[in-house]
Amino acid sequence: MTALQTPTFSFELYPPRSAAAEQTLLRSIEHLVAAGPEFISVTYGANGSSRNSSLAVLLRLLEQTDVSAMAHLTCVGSSYADATRLIREFLDAGVTSFLALRGDPPAGAVEGDRFLGDLGSAGELVQLIHRVQAERDQFSLNDIPGFPGAKRLSSGHKVTIAVAAFPNGHPRSRSVEQDLDTLLAKEAAGANLAITQLFFHADDYLGFLDKARAAGVTMRILPGIMPVLSPQRLRRIVQLTDETLPTDLLRRLEAERTPEGQAAVGIEHAIDLGSAVLEGTGGDSPGIHLYTFNQHEAVLDVLRGCRLLEPVTTEHN
């Protein structure tokens, strides 16, 4: 496996739900793009609930920036025909990176209900993306250096397909071995990048990375990190992800009486986490993926603290 020499960083955004949220997002995109990320991913709601707004954000990134835009796709509620049409729509718009997810049950559904549609797993979605791309763009003509006007026929453009990884186990998983088998199956299906669920201690990620490599996973596994800026947000994140509540972080957040103090604690924790992960990987899959909550200030502070961005300097006359 060839590891990148320079650590990268990337961001996740979600589509705005109001006009005011859209203006906030547009300001954040400007700052996030200027930082020079490897890619920016845009979430996609279950059953296509944010299809148009997700595509609008992706198109803005594709048409107005040089940053690679990654589209989220889920299996929930999709027939093969519906999923194929959506993949084609994203490809036609210029998207060449995807995050393939099984997806959570929609509102009112629980595990055990039939809510997935024709695609039963993220691995099946990975295969479908590759199949649609191959059918759409089977061949390409490339210039041959030194021979003006000559062309070489080669296979069509490849797509980047990321999948989710779970350092502390998927809520439905029975064991670490099952999680690793699932990740291996996703890679065998054609995934070439993994992004982890949130975790709160560096050893959670580093231990999982060691186990994944020992099991035969070779693709990059980017650690997903979010600066948690309030105890209320921490509790909500834990509720949504089924992660174990990090009581050490919760106590530090609750000890602060102001939003500014709580934000400082959350940013410091994310900096320590990111720095420890980058140092502990030893060059394996270097980089971090930051969940932004559509806000740029905190995640950029984290990158500066991890020495992945230059610090802000103040010029004096």
Side-chain angles (χ1 to χ4, degrees), residues 108-233:
V110 296
E111 292 291 350
D113 292 346
R114 291 185 59 83
F115 58 82
L116 287 178
D118 291 339
L119 296 167
S121 69
E124 292 182 29
L125 180 55
V126 169
Q127 291 177 317
L128 181 61
I129 295 169
H130 278 301
R131 190 178 309 127
V132 173
Q133 166 65 0
E135 293 171 353
R136 178 183 176 277
D137 189 13
Q138 297 184 31
F139 304 104
S140 63
L141 291 174
N142 301 312
D143 294 331
I144 301 176
F147 296 89
K151 299 287 184 180
R152 177 186 289 116
L153 185 67
S154 61
S155 59
H157 297 293
K158 301 297 183 181
V159 290
T160 296
I161 305 181
V163 292
F166 299 86
N168 292 315
H170 191 281
R172 294 182 298 109
S173 177
R174 295 186 300 272
S175 65
V176 174
E177 289 73 24
Q178 183 181 359
D179 285 317
L180 294 174
D181 287 345
T182 300
L183 191 58
L184 275 168
K186 292 176 184 178
E187 185 170 19
N192 41 38
L193 176 67
I195 302 172
T196 75
Q197 176 67 276
L198 289 173
F199 57 94
F200 298 100
H201 301 98
D203 287 345
D204 295 342
Y205 169 78
L206 296 174
F208 177 78
L209 183 64
D210 288 342
K211 291 184 180 73
R213 296 297 180 233
V217 178
T218 62
M219 61 185 166
R220 294 174 66 200
I221 304 176
L222 289 177
I225 295 174
M226 176 190 290
V228 182
L229 308 184
S230 72
Q232 294 82 10
R233 180 173 293 182

Side-chain angles (χ1 to χ4, degrees), residues 79-101:
S79 66
Y80 282 116
D82 291 338
T84 298
R85 280 194 296 270
L86 181 61
I87 294 166
R88 285 187 178 278
E89 184 174 7
F90 282 136
L91 289 169
D92 290 342
V95 175
T96 58
S97 296
F98 297 88
L99 177 57
L101 304 165

Side-chain angles (χ1 to χ4, degrees), residues 278-299:
L278 290 171
E279 182 179 354
T281 55
D284 183 1
S285 302
I288 55 177
H289 183 68
L290 289 155
Y291 298 98
T292 69
F293 254 87
N294 285 11
Q295 302 286 334
H296 63 275
E297 295 93 342
V299 293

